[in-house]
């Protein structure tokens, strides 16, 4: 298939009709029909069948489409990288990537302090998983990234902001009153409680799994989630205890949950990342200072 064939195929898959695909691509409907027919001729099989006036993708089209989606995602990445190379350090723009746990409570606080210093700066924020943040920074798509326990990379500068710790967020009434009054809970105490587990691929999930192996404790986890605030939400709704970092626990609704320190302590380093092949801009340095101050203050609280 030629690139034009792929563009038309993608447009028809997205919109569900030749006419809508033509509007999306800003071309005529006969042009789309002609290109689609030529693509099917070259391929040797049909991509769509007309059923009751609607275009229905064939099995072959459905098999092809995931690869086409990947291709367009890669093209988008090429365009973003080209744009960042053309103008990598705009003086009026700051691009920030962050893990979800830092995006809800702490990053907004840091941005308030940053905005007081630089009110005219346009700030773009994306909340992603740590591997996505590392990959985007390597492509120079952002100025700063905020993550937990990032792996060192020669093309990234890593700066330690503070050490958070894991906390247990438990629905009110789920834990024995004596434990709640003490403000601390051991991993062994959690063995008999329903728990929200973070995916093993997550850095914090990896830390918790390691601590459990060291303590020879097996936790019951009826729920596995991808984000820290999804775990917190389940605790808010009384479903299970959640082991989350202190930054996430800052958003806990204390009238619904009890928050206890985990013993032995499980440290969660909060890290800032930036591309190593260019110096940090004035804006990035200012944002870094604001974020460090907010993280340190939140953990002290």
């Amino acid at each position: 298939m030629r690139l034009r064939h792929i563009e038309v195929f993608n447009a028809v898959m997205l919109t569900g009709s030749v006419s809508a695909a033509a509007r999306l691509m800003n071309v005529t409907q006969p042009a789309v029909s002609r290109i689609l027919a030529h693509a099917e001729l070259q391929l040797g099989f049909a991509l769509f069948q007309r059923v009751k006036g609607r275009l229905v993708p064939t099995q072959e089209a459905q098999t092809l489409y995931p690869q086409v989606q990947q291709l367009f995602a890669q093209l988008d990445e090429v365009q973003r990288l080209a744009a960042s190379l053309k103008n990598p350090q705009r003086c009026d723009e700051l691009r920030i990537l962050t893990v979800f746990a830092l995006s809800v409570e702490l990053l907004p606080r840091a941005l308030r302090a940053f905005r007081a210093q630089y009110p005219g700066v346009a700030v773009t924020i994306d909340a992603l998983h740590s591997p996505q943040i590392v990959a985007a920074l390597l492509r120079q798509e952002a100025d700063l990234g905020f993550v937990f326990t990032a792996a060192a990379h020669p093309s990234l500068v890593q700066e330690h902001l503070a050490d958070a710790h894991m906390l247990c967020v438990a629905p009110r009434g789920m834990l024995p009153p004596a434990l709640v009054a003490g403000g601390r809970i051991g991993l062994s105490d959690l063995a008999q409680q329903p728990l929200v587990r973070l995916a093993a691929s997550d850095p914090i999930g990896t830390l918790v799994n390691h601590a459990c192996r060291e303590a020879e404790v097996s936790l019951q986890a009826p729920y596995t989630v991808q984000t820290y605030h999804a775990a917190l939400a389940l605790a808010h709704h009384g479903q299970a205890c959640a082991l989350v970092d202190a930054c996430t626990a800052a958003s806990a609704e204390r009238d619904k949950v009890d928050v206890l320190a985990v013993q032995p302590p499980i440290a969660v380093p909060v890290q800032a990342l930036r591309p190593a092949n260019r110096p940090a801009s004035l804006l990035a340095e200012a944002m870094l200072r604001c974020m460090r101050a907010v993280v340190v203050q939140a953990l002290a609280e």
Side-chain angles (χ1 to χ4, degrees):
M1 296 177 74
R2 297 178 181 175
L3 181 57
R4 194 59 171 168
H5 294 161
I6 296 173
E7 289 176 332
V8 167
F9 171 60
N10 182 62
V12 176
M13 290 292 287
L14 285 173
T15 61
S17 72
V18 170
S19 58
R23 289 193 296 271
L24 179 65
M25 299 181 66
N26 197 28
V27 297
T28 65
Q29 183 172 334
V32 171
S33 299
R34 183 172 61 255
I35 294 170
L36 189 59
H38 190 247
E40 292 177 327
L41 182 64
Q42 281 200 335
L43 289 169
F45 55 79
L47 292 171
F48 299 94
Q49 294 176 341
R50 189 168 293 278
V51 178
K52 296 181 180 180
R54 296 179 59 252
L55 286 183
V56 177
T58 62
Q59 184 63 48
E60 291 82 358
Q62 293 172 359
T63 303
L64 276 175
Y65 191 51
Q67 299 301 319
V68 170
Q69 289 177 305
Q70 290 183 22
L71 174 61
F72 277 91
Q74 291 170 346
L75 288 173
D76 289 341
E77 289 180 3
V78 170
Q79 290 177 335
R80 288 196 296 268
L81 178 57
S84 67
L85 291 173
K86 177 183 178 182
N87 197 8
Q89 293 191 28
R90 284 185 55 184
C91 61
D92 59 347
E93 181 181 12
L94 185 66
R95 299 160 296 177
I96 301 171
L97 307 176
T98 179
V99 291
F100 295 90
L102 298 173
S103 69
V104 176
E105 186 69 29
L106 300 193
L107 184 62
R109 295 189 199 176
L111 284 169
R112 182 169 60 236
F114 175 83
R115 182 68 67 190
Q117 301 176 51
Y118 300 96
V121 174
V123 180
T124 301
I125 306 163
D126 278 328
L128 304 169
H129 293 291
S130 296
Q132 296 172 308
I133 291 174
V134 170
L137 287 169
L138 292 175
R139 295 193 297 266
Q140 301 186 43
E141 292 179 0
D143 302 290
L144 277 175
F146 298 110
V147 298
F148 294 129
T149 61
H153 194 286
S155 296
L156 296 177
V157 175
Q158 180 170 294
E159 185 167 342
H160 182 75
L161 300 184
D163 278 324
H165 286 84
M166 296 299 293
L167 299 176
C168 173
V169 180
R172 281 286 178 92
M174 181 169 285
L175 297 178
L179 270 178
V180 175
R184 299 176 183 275
I185 190 168
L187 289 174
S188 58
D189 297 317
L190 284 167
Q192 303 306 315
Q193 302 294 338
L195 192 75
V196 186
R197 183 187 300 275
L198 290 168
S201 58
D202 182 272
I204 292 182
T206 301
L207 289 174
V208 172
N209 290 342
H210 177 74
C212 289
R213 286 194 298 271
E214 290 292 313
E216 298 183 348
V217 171
S218 178
L219 300 179
Q220 303 177 36
Y223 300 104
T224 300
V225 297
Q226 296 293 325
T227 66
Y228 321 113
H229 278 83
L232 183 61
L234 286 169
H236 280 156
H237 286 273
Q239 294 298 302
C241 297
L243 288 179
V244 299
D245 61 281
C247 300
T248 299
S251 302
E253 299 177 25
R254 298 304 179 103
D255 60 330
K256 296 180 180 179
V257 295
D258 297 309
V259 180
L260 293 84
V262 175
Q263 296 294 323
I266 304 173
V268 182
V270 184
Q271 311 277 9
L273 301 176
R274 61 177 177 82
N277 60 352
R278 56 185 171 90
S281 67
L282 178 66
L283 297 179
E285 291 286 3
M287 184 64 208
L288 192 57
R289 290 194 298 272
C290 293
M291 190 65 173
R292 181 188 293 106
V294 164
V295 170
V296 171
Q297 180 183 4
L299 296 180
E301 293 171 355

